[in-house]
Amino acid sequence: MPAPALPSLAHIDLSSGIIDPAAEVVERRLSDMPAWFQDQPAAQALLSENPVLYRVYAMAQPDTAGWRLATSVIESGRIGAEYYMTRGHAHVREDAPEVYLTLRGRGMLVMQSRTDETVVQVMQPGSINYIPGGWAHRTVNTGDEPLVFFAVWSIDAGHDYEAYAERGFAKLILAGEDGPRVVDNPSYVKAKRA
Ligand code: M6P
Ligand code: ZN
Protein backbone atom coordinates (compact mmCIF):
# COMPACT_ATOMS: atom_id res chain seq x y z
CA MET A 1 0.00 0.00 0.00
CA PRO A 2 1.36 3.47 -0.83
CA ALA A 3 1.60 5.87 2.12
CA PRO A 4 -1.62 7.88 2.59
CA ALA A 5 -1.48 11.49 1.31
CA LEU A 6 -1.17 14.24 3.88
CA PRO A 7 -4.05 16.68 4.45
CA SER A 8 -3.64 19.91 2.53
CA LEU A 9 -4.89 23.46 2.89
CA ALA A 10 -5.24 26.22 0.33
CA HIS A 11 -6.77 29.67 0.19
CA ILE A 12 -9.03 31.22 -2.45
CA ASP A 13 -9.03 34.97 -2.85
CA LEU A 14 -12.79 35.43 -3.31
CA SER A 15 -12.39 38.49 -5.51
CA SER A 16 -9.63 37.41 -7.89
CA GLY A 17 -10.35 33.67 -7.66
CA ILE A 18 -6.65 32.92 -7.26
CA ILE A 19 -5.93 29.72 -5.34
CA ASP A 20 -2.76 29.57 -3.30
CA PRO A 21 -0.99 27.24 -3.57
CA ALA A 22 -2.02 26.43 -7.13
CA ALA A 23 -0.53 23.46 -8.92
CA GLU A 24 -1.38 24.69 -12.36
CA VAL A 25 -2.72 27.83 -14.00
CA VAL A 26 -4.31 27.46 -17.43
CA GLU A 27 -4.80 30.64 -19.43
CA ARG A 28 -7.10 30.75 -22.44
CA ARG A 29 -6.85 33.63 -24.87
CA LEU A 30 -8.95 34.29 -27.92
CA SER A 31 -6.20 32.80 -30.11
CA ASP A 32 -6.72 29.46 -28.28
CA MET A 33 -10.35 29.29 -29.42
CA PRO A 34 -11.15 31.74 -32.24
CA ALA A 35 -13.47 29.31 -34.05
CA TRP A 36 -15.66 28.83 -30.97
CA PHE A 37 -17.43 32.16 -31.47
CA GLN A 38 -20.39 32.70 -33.73
CA ASP A 39 -19.43 36.13 -35.03
CA GLN A 40 -16.27 35.27 -36.97
CA PRO A 41 -15.54 38.79 -38.32
CA ALA A 42 -15.70 40.10 -34.72
CA ALA A 43 -13.41 37.29 -33.51
CA GLN A 44 -10.87 37.89 -36.29
CA ALA A 45 -10.88 41.65 -35.61
CA LEU A 46 -10.05 41.06 -31.93
CA LEU A 47 -7.26 38.57 -32.61
CA SER A 48 -4.50 41.19 -32.74
CA GLU A 49 -5.51 42.30 -29.24
CA ASN A 50 -5.86 38.63 -28.23
CA PRO A 51 -7.63 39.15 -24.88
CA VAL A 52 -7.45 36.65 -22.02
CA LEU A 53 -10.91 35.04 -21.88
CA TYR A 54 -10.42 32.97 -18.72
CA ARG A 55 -7.98 31.34 -16.34
CA VAL A 56 -8.25 28.12 -14.36
CA TYR A 57 -6.31 27.72 -11.10
CA ALA A 58 -6.05 24.12 -9.93
CA MET A 59 -5.30 23.58 -6.27
CA ALA A 60 -2.03 21.88 -5.44
CA GLN A 61 -2.92 18.46 -4.10
CA PRO A 62 -0.83 15.57 -2.91
CA ASP A 63 -3.20 12.89 -4.18
CA THR A 64 -3.45 11.16 -7.53
CA ALA A 65 -6.97 9.89 -6.81
CA GLY A 66 -10.14 11.60 -5.66
CA TRP A 67 -11.19 15.12 -6.54
CA ARG A 68 -9.74 17.93 -8.58
CA LEU A 69 -10.39 21.35 -7.03
CA ALA A 70 -10.07 24.51 -9.10
CA THR A 71 -11.33 28.01 -9.56
CA SER A 72 -12.18 29.48 -12.95
CA VAL A 73 -12.14 33.19 -13.63
CA ILE A 74 -13.91 34.27 -16.81
CA GLU A 75 -13.27 37.87 -17.76
CA SER A 76 -16.12 40.18 -18.69
CA GLY A 77 -16.39 40.91 -22.40
CA ARG A 78 -18.00 39.97 -25.68
CA ILE A 79 -17.08 38.82 -29.16
CA GLY A 80 -19.85 40.44 -31.16
CA ALA A 81 -23.00 39.67 -29.15
CA GLU A 82 -21.54 36.52 -27.60
CA TYR A 83 -20.14 36.73 -24.09
CA TYR A 84 -16.72 35.44 -23.11
CA MET A 85 -17.09 31.77 -22.22
CA THR A 86 -15.16 28.56 -21.63
CA ARG A 87 -14.47 26.14 -24.46
CA GLY A 88 -16.88 23.62 -22.97
CA HIS A 89 -16.44 19.89 -22.66
CA ALA A 90 -18.01 16.61 -21.63
CA HIS A 91 -16.31 14.13 -19.36
CA VAL A 92 -14.73 11.11 -20.97
CA ARG A 93 -16.00 9.08 -18.01
CA GLU A 94 -19.73 9.45 -18.58
CA ASP A 95 -20.62 8.77 -14.94
CA ALA A 96 -18.43 11.59 -13.59
CA PRO A 97 -20.39 14.60 -12.30
CA GLU A 98 -19.09 18.08 -11.44
CA VAL A 99 -20.12 20.79 -8.98
CA TYR A 100 -19.71 24.55 -9.31
CA LEU A 101 -19.99 27.10 -6.51
CA THR A 102 -20.10 30.69 -7.74
CA LEU A 103 -18.06 33.16 -5.69
CA ARG A 104 -18.33 36.37 -7.70
CA GLY A 105 -20.11 37.83 -10.72
CA ARG A 106 -22.98 36.63 -12.83
CA GLY A 107 -23.10 33.98 -15.47
CA MET A 108 -24.90 31.13 -17.13
CA LEU A 109 -24.06 27.46 -17.18
CA VAL A 110 -25.08 25.70 -20.39
CA MET A 111 -25.48 21.94 -20.02
CA GLN A 112 -26.24 19.56 -22.83
CA SER A 113 -27.05 15.87 -22.61
CA ARG A 114 -25.80 13.22 -25.01
CA THR A 115 -29.18 13.42 -26.74
CA ASP A 116 -29.04 17.22 -27.14
CA GLU A 117 -31.36 18.14 -24.28
CA THR A 118 -30.25 21.55 -22.98
CA VAL A 119 -30.50 23.04 -19.50
CA VAL A 120 -29.28 26.57 -18.79
CA GLN A 121 -28.79 27.62 -15.17
CA VAL A 122 -27.96 31.01 -13.68
CA MET A 123 -24.71 31.43 -11.78
CA GLN A 124 -24.45 34.10 -9.08
CA PRO A 125 -22.62 34.26 -5.74
CA GLY A 126 -23.82 31.32 -3.66
CA SER A 127 -25.22 29.28 -6.57
CA ILE A 128 -24.37 25.60 -6.47
CA ASN A 129 -24.72 24.04 -9.91
CA TYR A 130 -24.69 20.26 -10.15
CA ILE A 131 -23.66 18.85 -13.52
CA PRO A 132 -24.64 15.17 -13.74
CA GLY A 133 -22.37 12.73 -15.53
CA GLY A 134 -22.97 12.62 -19.27
CA TRP A 135 -23.80 16.33 -19.60
CA ALA A 136 -21.45 18.60 -21.54
CA HIS A 137 -20.93 21.96 -19.86
CA ARG A 138 -19.86 25.48 -20.72
CA THR A 139 -19.81 28.59 -18.54
CA VAL A 140 -20.55 32.08 -19.82
CA ASN A 141 -19.85 35.40 -18.09
CA THR A 142 -22.98 37.51 -18.61
CA GLY A 143 -21.98 40.24 -16.14
CA ASP A 144 -19.74 43.28 -16.14
CA GLU A 145 -17.15 41.92 -13.70
CA PRO A 146 -15.15 38.66 -13.65
CA LEU A 147 -17.19 35.50 -13.09
CA VAL A 148 -15.40 33.49 -10.41
CA PHE A 149 -16.45 29.97 -9.49
CA PHE A 150 -15.05 27.01 -7.62
CA ALA A 151 -15.31 23.61 -9.31
CA VAL A 152 -14.95 20.05 -8.03
CA TRP A 153 -14.71 17.01 -10.26
CA SER A 154 -13.20 13.55 -10.25
CA ILE A 155 -9.51 13.50 -11.10
CA ASP A 156 -10.02 10.73 -13.64
CA ALA A 157 -13.12 12.27 -15.34
CA GLY A 158 -11.15 13.35 -18.44
CA HIS A 159 -12.04 16.29 -20.72
CA ASP A 160 -13.59 15.63 -24.13
CA TYR A 161 -13.37 18.85 -26.15
CA GLU A 162 -13.42 17.42 -29.63
CA ALA A 163 -17.15 16.74 -30.00
CA TYR A 164 -18.00 20.29 -28.93
CA ALA A 165 -15.21 22.05 -30.80
CA GLU A 166 -16.61 20.75 -34.06
CA ARG A 167 -20.33 21.20 -33.58
CA GLY A 168 -20.50 23.62 -30.66
CA PHE A 169 -23.43 23.66 -28.27
CA ALA A 170 -27.10 23.72 -29.35
CA LYS A 171 -27.73 26.99 -27.48
CA LEU A 172 -25.82 30.26 -27.51
CA ILE A 173 -25.95 32.98 -24.86
CA LEU A 174 -26.09 36.35 -26.58
CA ALA A 175 -26.35 39.88 -25.24
CA GLY A 176 -29.76 41.40 -25.96
CA GLU A 177 -31.22 44.80 -25.18
CA ASP A 178 -32.68 43.49 -21.90
CA GLY A 179 -29.72 41.33 -20.94
CA PRO A 180 -28.57 37.82 -21.84
CA ARG A 181 -30.73 35.72 -24.15
CA VAL A 182 -30.60 31.98 -24.77
CA VAL A 183 -30.88 31.39 -28.52
CA ASP A 184 -30.63 28.42 -30.86
CA ASN A 185 -27.21 28.03 -32.43
CA PRO A 186 -27.89 28.40 -36.18
CA SER A 187 -24.79 26.39 -37.14
CA TYR A 188 -25.39 23.58 -34.69
CA VAL A 189 -24.99 20.04 -35.98
CA LYS A 190 -27.10 17.50 -34.12
CA ALA A 191 -25.42 14.69 -32.19
CA LYS A 192 -25.12 11.52 -34.23
CA ARG A 193 -26.50 9.61 -31.28
CA ALA A 194 -29.58 11.85 -30.89
C1 M6P B 1 -14.08 24.48 -14.75
C2 M6P B 1 -14.00 23.00 -14.79
C3 M6P B 1 -12.71 22.60 -15.45
C4 M6P B 1 -12.57 23.28 -16.80
C5 M6P B 1 -12.69 24.77 -16.67
C6 M6P B 1 -12.64 25.49 -18.01
O1 M6P B 1 -13.13 24.93 -13.84
O2 M6P B 1 -15.09 22.48 -15.51
O3 M6P B 1 -12.68 21.20 -15.60
O4 M6P B 1 -11.33 22.92 -17.39
O5 M6P B 1 -13.92 25.07 -16.04
O6 M6P B 1 -13.53 24.92 -18.95
P1 M6P B 1 -13.01 24.24 -20.32
O7 M6P B 1 -11.99 23.21 -19.93
O8 M6P B 1 -14.24 23.67 -20.93
O9 M6P B 1 -12.40 25.33 -21.13
ZN1 ZN C 1 -16.10 19.21 -16.48
Side-chain angles (χ1 to χ4, degrees):
M1 281 271 284
L6 294 172
S8 52
L9 174 68
H11 178 262
I12 301 176
D13 181 293
L14 298 179
S15 174
S16 67
I18 292 172
I19 292 192
D20 184 27
E24 192 191 6
V25 183
V26 174
E27 183 175 88
R28 297 268 178 243
R29 289 178 177 267
L30 179 58
S31 59
D32 297 312
M33 48 186 288
W36 268 249
F37 292 93
Q38 192 64 24
D39 187 337
Q40 277 302 299
Q44 295 304 320
L46 254 187
L47 263 181
S48 53
E49 202 180 300
N50 201 15
V52 171
L53 305 181
Y54 60 97
R55 294 188 176 92
V56 180
Y57 303 90
M59 179 176 158
Q61 54 192 135
D63 243 347
T64 49
W67 305 102
R68 178 74 74 198
L69 311 177
T71 48
S72 293
V73 181
I74 308 179
E75 297 298 330
S76 173
R78 281 167 22 194
I79 312 285
E82 202 168 8
Y83 299 98
Y84 287 6
M85 61 187 184
T86 58
R87 290 197 292 179
H89 63 272
H91 294 158
V92 176
R93 238 189 66 199
E94 291 199 24
D95 64 338
E98 185 158 353
V99 175
Y100 291 165
L101 167 63
T102 302
L103 305 174
R104 178 184 173 192
R106 228 188 142 76
M108 284 190 177
L109 167 62
V110 182
M111 290 172 278
Q112 184 170 315
S113 73
R114 301 279 173 181
T115 51
D116 282 356
E117 196 184 335
T118 299
V119 175
V120 179
Q121 290 180 345
V122 166
M123 299 173 76
Q124 56 193 14
S127 302
I128 296 176
N129 302 91
Y130 179 80
I131 306 162
W135 287 70
H137 38 287
R138 160 180 287 165
T139 42
V140 181
N141 182 352
T142 58
D144 50 17
E145 62 178 321
L147 173 66
V148 180
F149 62 95
F150 179 62
V152 181
W153 70 97
S154 180
I155 244 171
D156 63 357
H159 288 67
D160 173 13
Y161 291 106
E162 215 171 300
Y164 300 90
E166 242 172 60
R167 61 193 184 96
F169 279 62
K171 301 283 182 191
L172 303 176
I173 312 296
L174 302 182
E177 274 178 20
D178 304 322
R181 292 180 307 133
V182 181
V183 302
D184 287 335
N185 179 353
S187 40
Y188 183 69
V189 183
K190 271 197 176 309
K192 289 194 189 86
R193 277 197 268 169

mmCIF file of all heavy atoms in Angstrom, residues 147-168:
data_model
loop_
_atom_site.group_PDB
_atom_site.id
_atom_site.type_symbol
_atom_site.label_atom_id
_atom_site.label_comp_id
_atom_site.label_asym_id
_atom_site.label_seq_id
_atom_site.Cartn_x
_atom_site.Cartn_y
_atom_site.Cartn_z
ATOM 1 N N LEU A 147 -16.385 36.578 -13.667
ATOM 2 C CA LEU A 147 -17.192 35.495 -13.089
ATOM 3 C C LEU A 147 -16.198 34.516 -12.462
ATOM 4 O O LEU A 147 -15.332 33.980 -13.154
ATOM 5 C CB LEU A 147 -18.008 34.789 -14.183
ATOM 6 C CG LEU A 147 -18.755 33.527 -13.730
ATOM 7 C CD1 LEU A 147 -19.854 33.867 -12.715
ATOM 8 C CD2 LEU A 147 -19.369 32.797 -14.935
ATOM 9 N N VAL A 148 -16.332 34.355 -11.142
ATOM 10 C CA VAL A 148 -15.399 33.489 -10.409
ATOM 11 C C VAL A 148 -16.176 32.330 -9.804
ATOM 12 O O VAL A 148 -17.155 32.561 -9.078
ATOM 13 C CB VAL A 148 -14.696 34.279 -9.273
ATOM 14 C CG1 VAL A 148 -13.730 33.376 -8.515
ATOM 15 C CG2 VAL A 148 -13.971 35.505 -9.820
ATOM 16 N N PHE A 149 -15.783 31.117 -10.118
ATOM 17 C CA PHE A 149 -16.455 29.970 -9.489
ATOM 18 C C PHE A 149 -15.465 28.874 -9.144
ATOM 19 O O PHE A 149 -14.402 28.756 -9.749
ATOM 20 C CB PHE A 149 -17.598 29.429 -10.360
ATOM 21 C CG PHE A 149 -17.185 28.910 -11.716
ATOM 22 C CD1 PHE A 149 -16.923 27.553 -11.910
ATOM 23 C CD2 PHE A 149 -17.058 29.765 -12.798
ATOM 24 C CE1 PHE A 149 -16.557 27.060 -13.147
ATOM 25 C CE2 PHE A 149 -16.679 29.286 -14.053
ATOM 26 C CZ PHE A 149 -16.426 27.934 -14.225
ATOM 27 N N PHE A 150 -15.851 28.125 -8.121
ATOM 28 C CA PHE A 150 -15.051 27.007 -7.618
ATOM 29 C C PHE A 150 -15.652 25.735 -8.202
ATOM 30 O O PHE A 150 -16.878 25.596 -8.243
ATOM 31 C CB PHE A 150 -15.148 27.004 -6.090
ATOM 32 C CG PHE A 150 -14.400 25.901 -5.405
ATOM 33 C CD1 PHE A 150 -13.026 25.790 -5.524
ATOM 34 C CD2 PHE A 150 -15.078 24.989 -4.609
ATOM 35 C CE1 PHE A 150 -12.329 24.778 -4.867
ATOM 36 C CE2 PHE A 150 -14.394 23.974 -3.950
ATOM 37 C CZ PHE A 150 -13.016 23.871 -4.086
ATOM 38 N N ALA A 151 -14.814 24.833 -8.667
ATOM 39 C CA ALA A 151 -15.306 23.607 -9.307
ATOM 40 C C ALA A 151 -14.654 22.376 -8.679
ATOM 41 O O ALA A 151 -13.472 22.406 -8.303
ATOM 42 C CB ALA A 151 -15.002 23.638 -10.805
ATOM 43 N N VAL A 152 -15.437 21.327 -8.569
ATOM 44 C CA VAL A 152 -14.953 20.054 -8.032
ATOM 45 C C VAL A 152 -15.363 18.937 -8.983
ATOM 46 O O VAL A 152 -16.543 18.836 -9.336
ATOM 47 C CB VAL A 152 -15.576 19.748 -6.643
ATOM 48 C CG1 VAL A 152 -15.044 18.429 -6.093
ATOM 49 C CG2 VAL A 152 -15.312 20.876 -5.663
ATOM 50 N N TRP A 153 -14.396 18.137 -9.411
ATOM 51 C CA TRP A 153 -14.713 17.007 -10.263
ATOM 52 C C TRP A 153 -13.712 15.884 -10.025
ATOM 53 O O TRP A 153 -12.669 16.090 -9.399
ATOM 54 C CB TRP A 153 -14.774 17.410 -11.739
ATOM 55 C CG TRP A 153 -13.457 17.760 -12.382
ATOM 56 C CD1 TRP A 153 -12.662 16.938 -13.131
ATOM 57 C CD2 TRP A 153 -12.781 19.038 -12.344
ATOM 58 N NE1 TRP A 153 -11.539 17.621 -13.563
ATOM 59 C CE2 TRP A 153 -11.598 18.906 -13.100
ATOM 60 C CE3 TRP A 153 -13.047 20.262 -11.747
ATOM 61 C CZ2 TRP A 153 -10.676 19.965 -13.256
ATOM 62 C CZ3 TRP A 153 -12.145 21.313 -11.903
ATOM 63 C CH2 TRP A 153 -10.994 21.157 -12.659
ATOM 64 N N SER A 154 -14.044 14.707 -10.496
ATOM 65 C CA SER A 154 -13.205 13.545 -10.253
ATOM 66 C C SER A 154 -11.931 13.639 -11.091
ATOM 67 O O SER A 154 -11.974 13.949 -12.282
ATOM 68 C CB SER A 154 -13.996 12.289 -10.626
ATOM 69 O OG SER A 154 -13.190 11.181 -10.398
ATOM 70 N N ILE A 155 -10.819 13.366 -10.459
ATOM 71 C CA ILE A 155 -9.507 13.498 -11.102
ATOM 72 C C ILE A 155 -9.413 12.686 -12.400
ATOM 73 O O ILE A 155 -8.727 13.069 -13.341
ATOM 74 C CB ILE A 155 -8.425 13.070 -10.075
ATOM 75 C CG1 ILE A 155 -7.528 14.232 -9.732
ATOM 76 C CG2 ILE A 155 -7.632 11.883 -10.502
ATOM 77 C CD1 ILE A 155 -6.590 13.956 -8.588
ATOM 78 N N ASP A 156 -10.136 11.585 -12.451
ATOM 79 C CA ASP A 156 -10.017 10.734 -13.645
ATOM 80 C C ASP A 156 -11.206 10.923 -14.608
ATOM 81 O O ASP A 156 -11.435 10.087 -15.480
ATOM 82 C CB ASP A 156 -9.862 9.261 -13.251
ATOM 83 C CG ASP A 156 -11.079 8.739 -12.505
ATOM 84 O OD1 ASP A 156 -12.011 9.533 -12.250
ATOM 85 O OD2 ASP A 156 -11.095 7.541 -12.174
ATOM 86 N N ALA A 157 -11.945 12.046 -14.473
ATOM 87 C CA ALA A 157 -13.118 12.269 -15.342
ATOM 88 C C ALA A 157 -12.705 12.409 -16.808
ATOM 89 O O ALA A 157 -13.353 11.873 -17.703
ATOM 90 C CB ALA A 157 -13.883 13.515 -14.891
ATOM 91 N N GLY A 158 -11.630 13.139 -17.057
ATOM 92 C CA GLY A 158 -11.155 13.351 -18.437
ATOM 93 C C GLY A 158 -11.985 14.410 -19.150
ATOM 94 O O GLY A 158 -13.199 14.516 -18.936
ATOM 95 N N HIS A 159 -11.340 15.228 -19.979
ATOM 96 C CA HIS A 159 -12.036 16.294 -20.722
ATOM 97 C C HIS A 159 -12.152 15.904 -22.186
ATOM 98 O O HIS A 159 -11.151 15.665 -22.842
ATOM 99 C CB HIS A 159 -11.257 17.613 -20.645
ATOM 100 C CG HIS A 159 -11.298 18.265 -19.303
ATOM 101 N ND1 HIS A 159 -10.699 17.726 -18.194
ATOM 102 C CD2 HIS A 159 -11.870 19.424 -18.886
ATOM 103 C CE1 HIS A 159 -10.902 18.523 -17.152
ATOM 104 N NE2 HIS A 159 -11.614 19.564 -17.547
ATOM 105 N N ASP A 160 -13.377 15.845 -22.696
ATOM 106 C CA ASP A 160 -13.588 15.631 -24.134
ATOM 107 C C ASP A 160 -14.003 16.962 -24.754
ATOM 108 O O ASP A 160 -15.110 17.443 -24.525
ATOM 109 C CB ASP A 160 -14.676 14.563 -24.347
ATOM 110 C CG ASP A 160 -15.054 14.413 -25.824
ATOM 111 O OD1 ASP A 160 -14.322 14.945 -26.688
ATOM 112 O OD2 ASP A 160 -16.084 13.770 -26.107
ATOM 113 N N TYR A 161 -13.083 17.554 -25.510
ATOM 114 C CA TYR A 161 -13.369 18.846 -26.153
ATOM 115 C C TYR A 161 -13.798 18.658 -27.597
ATOM 116 O O TYR A 161 -14.477 19.495 -28.164
ATOM 117 C CB TYR A 161 -12.119 19.727 -26.146
ATOM 118 C CG TYR A 161 -11.724 20.199 -24.772
ATOM 119 C CD1 TYR A 161 -10.631 19.653 -24.117
ATOM 120 C CD2 TYR A 161 -12.452 21.191 -24.135
ATOM 121 C CE1 TYR A 161 -10.273 20.076 -22.856
ATOM 122 C CE2 TYR A 161 -12.102 21.627 -22.870
ATOM 123 C CZ TYR A 161 -11.008 21.064 -22.239
ATOM 124 O OH TYR A 161 -10.668 21.481 -20.983
ATOM 125 N N GLU A 162 -13.330 17.580 -28.170
ATOM 126 C CA GLU A 162 -13.425 17.416 -29.631
ATOM 127 C C GLU A 162 -14.857 17.520 -30.160
ATOM 128 O O GLU A 162 -15.136 18.273 -31.090
ATOM 129 C CB GLU A 162 -12.824 16.078 -30.020
ATOM 130 C CG GLU A 162 -12.114 16.158 -31.344
ATOM 131 C CD GLU A 162 -11.337 14.886 -31.589
ATOM 132 O OE1 GLU A 162 -10.450 14.556 -30.784
ATOM 133 O OE2 GLU A 162 -11.670 14.223 -32.575
ATOM 134 N N ALA A 163 -15.763 16.778 -29.519
ATOM 135 C CA ALA A 163 -17.147 16.742 -30.005
ATOM 136 C C ALA A 163 -17.744 18.140 -30.027
ATOM 137 O O ALA A 163 -18.513 18.496 -30.918
ATOM 138 C CB ALA A 163 -17.979 15.843 -29.105
ATOM 139 N N TYR A 164 -17.366 18.974 -29.063
ATOM 140 C CA TYR A 164 -17.997 20.288 -28.927
ATOM 141 C C TYR A 164 -17.233 21.372 -29.671
ATOM 142 O O TYR A 164 -17.777 22.426 -29.982
ATOM 143 C CB TYR A 164 -18.208 20.593 -27.446
ATOM 144 C CG TYR A 164 -19.096 19.529 -26.875
ATOM 145 C CD1 TYR A 164 -18.549 18.361 -26.337
ATOM 146 C CD2 TYR A 164 -20.465 19.625 -27.002
ATOM 147 C CE1 TYR A 164 -19.366 17.331 -25.903
ATOM 148 C CE2 TYR A 164 -21.293 18.596 -26.580
ATOM 149 C CZ TYR A 164 -20.736 17.447 -26.032
ATOM 150 O OH TYR A 164 -21.541 16.427 -25.629
ATOM 151 N N ALA A 165 -15.972 21.099 -29.993
ATOM 152 C CA ALA A 165 -15.211 22.053 -30.803
ATOM 153 C C ALA A 165 -15.803 22.057 -32.201
ATOM 154 O O ALA A 165 -16.001 23.101 -32.823
ATOM 155 C CB ALA A 165 -13.753 21.640 -30.859
ATOM 156 N N GLU A 166 -16.110 20.884 -32.694
ATOM 157 C CA GLU A 166 -16.608 20.749 -34.056
ATOM 158 C C GLU A 166 -18.025 21.287 -34.228
ATOM 159 O O GLU A 166 -18.303 22.066 -35.126
ATOM 160 C CB GLU A 166 -16.638 19.262 -34.417
ATOM 161 C CG GLU A 166 -15.739 18.918 -35.574
ATOM 162 C CD GLU A 166 -15.674 17.424 -35.736
ATOM 163 O OE1 GLU A 166 -16.740 16.827 -35.960
ATOM 164 O OE2 GLU A 166 -14.564 16.863 -35.608
ATOM 165 N N ARG A 167 -18.924 20.856 -33.351
ATOM 166 C CA ARG A 167 -20.335 21.196 -33.577
ATOM 167 C C ARG A 167 -20.871 22.222 -32.596
ATOM 168 O O ARG A 167 -21.992 22.668 -32.723
ATOM 169 C CB ARG A 167 -21.190 19.937 -33.570
ATOM 170 C CG ARG A 167 -21.153 19.167 -32.288
ATOM 171 C CD ARG A 167 -21.752 17.784 -32.469
ATOM 172 N NE ARG A 167 -21.806 17.092 -31.204
ATOM 173 C CZ ARG A 167 -22.872 17.053 -30.425
ATOM 174 N NH1 ARG A 167 -23.970 17.664 -30.773
ATOM 175 N NH2 ARG A 167 -22.832 16.397 -29.291
ATOM 176 N N GLY A 168 -20.065 22.619 -31.611
ATOM 177 C CA GLY A 168 -20.504 23.618 -30.656
ATOM 178 C C GLY A 168 -21.615 23.095 -29.753
ATOM 179 O O GLY A 168 -21.842 21.893 -29.667
#
